[in-house]
Amino acid sequence: NQVSLTLDLHDDERPPYAILSHTRACDNSQEVTFAAVGTAAGQRKPGNEKIRFCAEQARKDDVNHFWVDIYCINKNSHSELLEAITSMFRWYQNAVKCYIYLPDVSARKRNHEGDT
């Protein structure tokens, strides 16, 4: 399943979406940029794991769209970056799901009896 960017959507036409809260890599070269989303180079970067995580979780929750700040904001556009910073709270507030990606925290599944 290929992840791709959608066209810019306005508030009145935005479909239900999930949003990803995450930490950024210390080395920015590990992150997938706006320009690299969906490219072979972007898919090879360690930061692409966040996109795969979010896409998989959204699929499980029947949410067809998701938003990840570092990938969805074109930082080469000063006006887009400024708008994104001022809109961030609203984007989180309007999301139907919020996923948190913490690569340095492990999750353990419990069985039915509550044992780990």
Side-chain angles (χ1 to χ4, degrees):
N1 292 329
Q2 182 72 17
V3 172
S4 62
L5 297 172
T6 62
L7 299 174
D8 288 341
L9 300 173
H10 300 284
D11 286 339
D12 59 338
E13 61 187 9
R14 190 175 296 133
Y17 64 95
I19 197 163
L20 183 68
S21 179
H22 63 99
T23 56
R24 288 179 173 77
C26 293
D27 179 0
N28 279 338
S29 69
Q30 295 181 2
E31 296 290 2
V32 180
T33 62
F34 175 83
V37 170
T39 67
Q43 290 176 1
R44 287 190 301 268
K45 291 188 176 235
N48 193 53
E49 183 59 33
K50 296 174 198 180
I51 294 177
R52 285 193 298 270
F53 164 78
C54 193
E56 180 182 319
Q57 203 57 51
R59 197 172 301 116
K60 288 177 183 176
D61 291 333
D62 270 341
V63 179
N64 294 323
H65 296 84
F66 61 90
W67 188 88
V68 182
D69 61 352
I70 198 165
Y71 314 113
C72 297
I73 299 170
N74 182 358
K75 292 180 187 155
N76 292 328
S77 167
H78 181 71
S79 61
E80 184 174 334
L81 183 58
L82 201 55
E83 179 186 349
I85 291 168
T86 60
S87 302
M88 195 77 64
F89 175 80
R90 186 172 34 99
W91 289 344
Y92 275 89
Q93 183 180 40
N94 293 333
V96 295
K97 296 282 184 177
C98 178
Y99 307 125
I100 300 172
Y101 184 83
L102 302 171
D104 54 346
V105 176
S106 64
R108 295 184 295 181
K109 294 184 179 183
R110 295 178 181 258
N111 67 21
H112 293 110
E113 287 79 39
D115 296 332
T116 57

